[in-house]
Amino acid sequence: MTDPSLHPFVKGHGAENDFVILPDPDGRLTLTPADVVRLGDRRTGLGADGVLRAVRCAAEPEAAAMREAEWFMDYRNADGSLGAMCGNGLRLLARYLVDAGLHRPGALLIATRAGTRRVHVPDDHTGPVTIDMGRPRLSGAGGIQVTAAGRTWPAIHVDMGNPHAVVFLEDLRLAGDLRTAPIVTPAAAYPHGATVNFVATRGPHHLQLRVHERGVGETRACGTGACAAVAAARVHQPSPAMAVDYTADLPGGRLHIVVRPNGAMDLTGPAVITAQGTVSLALPSGPGLPAGARGQRRSEASESDPLRRSRAAHTQG
Ligand SMILES: N[C@H](CCC[C@H](N)C(=O)O)C(=O)O
C-alpha cells in the first residue's frame, strides 16, 4: 500500500536559485502555505527558494484566460506566499516539461500569474534556456528609497510582472549581510513587498548583482531581478550607444539579457535538474512549523493572499 501523502517532485536550479517542481497535471494537489514552507526548509524538507506546481491550464482556474498555453506555473515563495513570475524557475519548469516528454524541445508557451511567456528549450537537454520576459514597466514611481546596513539610497522601480526596487552601488558590500530585509520607502509604493536588487556597473554591457527576494531572502540569483537591473541601468546611465546585450553576474552564476528593438527582453541562463523522487506532503503534527505557517486550504490561501486578491480585483474590474 503506497503512502497517499507521497507526491512526485523534481529538484533543480537556475544559477543556484533553486526550486522544487511538483507535477500536478490534473490540478488535484491542494498546496498550502505550510506545505510550501516545509518543502522549502533546508533541513526538514527538500530545501528551495521556491516551489513550482506544474498544472495543465485546462485544470487551473487561474489560467482560464491563458488557454494559448498548455501548462501553468503556480509559483510559491519559500515563505508560502504566491508569486506572479519567476525567471529562473520558469526556465527550470520548461526544461522539466521537455525532459519529461511532456513537451517537445524548441518553443513552449507557459502561463504564469503575470501572463503567458514564450520559452525556448534546446533539444540537447543541457544547453541554456531562453525566456521572452516581455517589456519592463518603469512607471514613474519616483521618490523610492532603500535602507540597508544603516545606509539609505535612491531606488528605481521596475515591474517585470513582479515588483522590483533597483539600487546602484559602487561596492555591493555596502548592502551589508542582507540577513534582514532591506526597508523600502514609502511602504505604499510596494503594498505587497518587493524584491530589492543591489547593482554594480562593471561596464556598458556588464552588471553585477546581489538580490534580496520578496518572500525568500537573499538568493544566489534572480532572473526577473537581472532583467529589472538592466532596465534600470538603461535609465540610470543612458548612453547614445546604448548596449542591447548584457551580462549579469550574480553570486550563483551568469545570466544574459538581450533588449530587443521593441523593448522586450530575452533572458538566457542555465536550467539544471539535480534530483527527482517522491516527497511526503503530510503536514507534521505538533510543533516544528514556523509561526504563522498554519496550514490553509488553497481556497483559504486565495482569500488571505494579497496577490491573488489584488489580481481577482483586477480581473473583476
Ligand atoms: N527568483 C525569481 C524571482 C522571484 C520573485 C519572487 N520572490 C516574488 O515574490 O516576486 C526569478 O528568478 O525571477
Side-chain angles (χ1 to χ4, degrees), residues 17 19 75 77 85-88 162 195 213-214 216 221-224:
N17 184 201
F19 306 94
Y75 171 80
N77 284 312
M85 175 54 195
C86 175
N88 289 324
N162 55 12
T195 288
E213 272 194 42
R214 174 179 67 168
V216 188
C222 181
T224 50

Side-chain angles (χ1 to χ4, degrees), residues 14 17-19 49-50 73 75-79 81-91 131 133 160-164 192-195 211-217 219 221-227 255 267 307:
N17 184 201
D18 64 335
F19 306 94
D49 292 332
M73 176 178 76
Y75 171 80
R76 314 292 180 97
N77 284 312
D79 71 352
S81 60
L82 298 182
M85 175 54 195
C86 175
N88 289 324
L90 191 58
R91 292 200 314 276
I131 306 174
M133 298 289 280
M160 287 304 302
N162 55 12
H164 292 265
H192 307 308
T195 288
V211 183
H212 187 282
E213 272 194 42
R214 174 179 67 168
V216 188
T219 57
C222 181
T224 50
C227 293
L255 300 174
L267 169 70
L307 182 81

Side-chain angles (χ1 to χ4, degrees), residues 15 207-211 220-222 225-226 248-255:
L207 303 175
Q208 190 176 6
L209 284 83
R210 288 178 65 196
V211 183
R220 299 280 290 163
C222 181
D249 280 335
L250 298 105
R254 178 164 280 188
L255 300 174

